[in-house]
Each structure stands twice: as structure tokens, then as C-alpha cells.
Amino acid sequence: EIVMTQSPATLSVSPGERATLSCRASQSVSSNLAWYQQKPGQAPRLLIYGASTRATGIPARFSGSGSGTEFTLTISSLQSEDFAVYYCQQYNNWPPATFGQGTKVEIK
Amino acid sequence: QVQLQESGPGLVKPSQTLSLTCTVSGGSISSGGYYWSWIRQHPGKGLEWIGYIYYSGSTYYNPSLKSRVTISVDTSKNQFSLKLSSVTAADTAVYYCARSIVVVAATHFDYWGQGTLVTVSS
């Protein structure tokens, strides 16, 4: 099973600033990585798949990069609605699908 | 627009079987091309994939839960279901159903249900 590790656990950012979230895989997942956003009381929402392709309707301020074992989600200018928990998920070697433990982006 | 909706009891007694159903609208399970999954999230924790089913009935389960999980599909009702046996308090979680696109193999989850909280307690 591939283990996904996200850092940091919590990221404190001011509105308008850039946020950079990291996800590391225990072995290469090529570009088979997705990012999700989850707000309290809601289901996760797909943001990015294929490591860098934005899902339908996702604003351009969200961007993903990386391949192999190191991945980054960047939010270029944080809006109030972006404060949430973000998860990465690999789909190179599944089943089982595996997720990172999440990064909480909170208001500084 | 595809929509998924979980339904089932919100309270289950220890040692009993948890049963949930996911109803899919806006798309047909029997059209193929997608895996239909169950995913759970313990309170305040991360996401754990439970298993998936294809419209044909083929399944795959997370090895950590395999001995207790059964996922089935009813294409006539456009539903798929989860049964988790011998539950304990550790199975208390929000349970989501979700869809993933099949491209050679399963991929990311593009549509999710809203989730349903299941509490295991006597």
C-alpha cells in the first residue's frame, strides 16, 4: 500500500497570500495524483487530477505540480472560501486508494 | 449532473451489521466506465477507502476491512450498497459514496454523496 504524507498539518495564511501545500508518496505514483478540498460538514470536492489538471469549475488560482513522489498544491491568492482541509490521493497503485492525512488551511 | 445520495440508519448497535445504500441520479450505473466506491471518515480524521463495485458486480475491498465488507449493486434501481458486519465503536464515521472514472484502472473521485453519519452505540 502506498502511503501519502502531507505537510504541514496546519498552514496559517492571511487572505490574499499564497499557500503552498505538499504531498509525498512512499513510492512513485507517476502523475496519478488528485487533490480535494473539504469544508466542515461537506463532502470532499475534487480540485486537481493528473497532478496538474484542474477539475471542472475550479478557479485558476488553484494549481498542482509534481510527479513521482513529490507534489504541490498552490493557491495563488487565498480567498475567504478557500480556508478548508485539503487532501491528496494517489491512484497509480490502487486498490486500495490511499489519501494523505490532510492539511488544514486556516486564517492567520 | 450526476448526484449521489447515501441513506440508511444513523445508529447501529455493536456487533450488528451496518447497511447503507447509495442512490445515483443523473447517470446510469449500468452504462459502465465507472467504479462506485464507499469511503469513510472518522470524526475529525482523514479519509479511508472501503471498497468499490463495478456495474457488472465485480468488487474490490480494502484489505483492512475485507473480512467484514460486502458491496453490492442493483442496476435496476441505480443503487449500490454497503454492508459492514460486526461493527464496533471504531466504525463510527461519516460514510460517503463516490464515483471514480475507469481509465485502464480506477482514478480519482469526481462525484461524492453528501455523506451520512453512522454511530455505533448501544
Side-chain angles (χ1 to χ4, degrees), chain A residues 30-85:
Chain A
S30 186
S31 295
N32 296 315
L33 184 108
W35 289 95
Y36 302 86
Q37 175 193 68
Q38 187 179 35
K39 297 179 180 179
Q42 296 185 16
R45 177 176 70 145
L46 177 67
L47 296 177
I48 301 282
Y49 62 93
S52 61
T53 302
R54 279 189 301 277
T56 303
I58 302 303
R61 64 180 181 272
F62 291 92
S63 63
S65 63
S67 66
T69 61
E70 301 283 344
F71 300 88
T72 300
L73 175 69
T74 301
I75 312 171
S76 60
S77 177
L78 270 161
Q79 306 299 302
S80 58
E81 62 267 30
D82 301 334
F83 293 96
V85 179

Side-chain angles (χ1 to χ4, degrees), chain B residues 82-103:
Chain B
L82 168 71
K83 291 189 185 298
L84 181 66
S85 63
S86 305
V87 298
T88 69
D91 295 307
T92 293
V94 174
Y95 286 77
Y96 296 100
C97 54
R99 184 186 86 165
S100 59
I101 300 169
V102 178
V103 179

Side-chain angles (χ1 to χ4, degrees), chain B residues 63-82:
Chain B
S64 66
L65 297 167
K66 185 177 181 179
S67 63
R68 299 193 292 131
V69 172
T70 302
I71 298 177
S72 59
V73 65
D74 185 338
T75 54
S76 67
K77 295 182 179 179
N78 221 32
Q79 296 176 333
F80 62 106
S81 299
L82 168 71

Side-chain angles (χ1 to χ4, degrees), chain A residues 1 34 36 38 41-46 48-50 87 89-92 94-101, chain B residues 35 37 39 41 45-49 52 60-63 96 100 105-110 112-115:
Chain A
E1 176 178 316
Y36 302 86
Q38 187 179 35
Q42 296 185 16
R45 177 176 70 145
L46 177 67
I48 301 282
Y49 62 93
Y87 294 96
Q89 176 233 335
Q90 68 82 20
Y91 52 91
N92 190 64
W94 83 282
T98 50
F99 295 86
Q101 79 279 20
Chain B
Y35 284 122
S37 285
I39 297 162
Q41 186 171 36
K45 302 297 184 182
L47 299 159
E48 178 183 30
W49 176 77
Y52 69 53
Y60 199 98
Y61 304 136
N62 192 321
Y96 296 100
S100 59
T107 59
H108 50 276
F109 301 100
D110 60 347
W112 297 65
Q114 65 184 24

